Amino acid sequence: MPARTHTRPRPATTGGVDMRLPWWALALPVLAFVSLLVLLLNPSDAQAATGQPAVAQFIERAQHLLTR
């Protein structure tokens, strides 16, 4: 009596999930970052503007956070 031969299962694909992001998934965070950066660099448009330049204030805050 002949023995049955087993076929090998197909190997799994190693490429992972092929998924594309919509265009706005990148555009919206970039737009938000740029708008916040513009507000940071030009604080005269803000209501509570100070006399200190925004770049110097940003660097001072960054140094304060890093030295904690």
Side-chain angles (χ1 to χ4, degrees), residues 36-46 48-62:
L36 289 175
L37 187 63
V38 167
L39 285 176
L40 179 70
L41 293 177
N42 193 5
S44 63
D45 293 339
T50 61
Q52 192 176 18
V55 176
Q57 188 178 14
F58 175 74
I59 292 172
E60 181 181 335
R61 287 183 183 176

Side-chain angles (χ1 to χ4, degrees), residues 1-63:
M1 183 181 232
R4 292 185 181 177
T5 58
H6 296 286
T7 59
R8 292 184 180 175
R10 294 183 185 180
T13 58
T14 58
V17 178
D18 186 25
M19 188 174 185
R20 292 186 179 190
L21 291 174
W23 63 269
W24 51 264
L26 182 64
L28 288 179
V30 168
L31 181 66
F33 176 77
V34 168
S35 62
L36 289 175
L37 187 63
V38 167
L39 285 176
L40 179 70
L41 293 177
N42 193 5
S44 63
D45 293 339
Q47 292 180 3
T50 61
Q52 192 176 18
V55 176
Q57 188 178 14
F58 175 74
I59 292 172
E60 181 181 335
R61 287 183 183 176
Q63 286 176 345

